[in-house]
Amino acid sequence: MSQTSPPAPRELKTVGLTPFIYRSDLPLFQVSPGLPIGDALAQASDLLSLAKAFAEDAAYSQDSDRHAWAAHYLTAMGKAVVDDVVQALAA
């Protein structure tokens, strides 16, 4: 019986099965398959960092909710990327 070792994390790619931003119960966007997970996580970090900044702005802004909506969408995108990477790691 031969044992195969799991792929190294640097060799893993996104699976591309994670949708985000729904309209009429259908996903408008989906994470693309085949991206190195290190690159995907770096992008998720950038998205979530921007979302954090927009959420802070929204907390102090009384004139508009545009910062809150930007934070909402950036958070949804970042979460989808992280969820997709988790699926790649679990496979």
Side-chain angles (χ1 to χ4, degrees):
M1 180 188 273
S2 65
Q3 287 185 318
T4 59
S5 58
R10 68 181 171 277
E11 298 171 359
L12 293 174
K13 310 279 188 209
T14 55
V15 293
L17 298 176
T18 309
F20 60 99
I21 312 296
Y22 285 80
R23 291 293 175 253
S24 302
D25 295 329
L26 295 173
L28 187 58
F29 299 107
Q30 179 174 319
V31 175
S32 294
L35 301 170
I37 64 169
D39 293 347
L41 288 174
Q43 184 65 53
S45 179
D46 290 344
L47 291 167
L48 295 172
S49 178
L50 286 169
K52 178 183 177 288
F54 279 127
E56 288 173 353
D57 289 348
Y60 295 108
S61 176
Q62 300 298 319
D63 61 342
S64 174
D65 62 354
R66 70 179 178 272
H67 293 101
W69 280 110
H72 167 74
Y73 287 113
L74 289 166
T75 302
M77 291 189 298
K79 181 186 180 317
V81 172
V82 171
D83 289 351
D84 204 79
V85 167
V86 167
Q87 288 184 44
L89 291 171

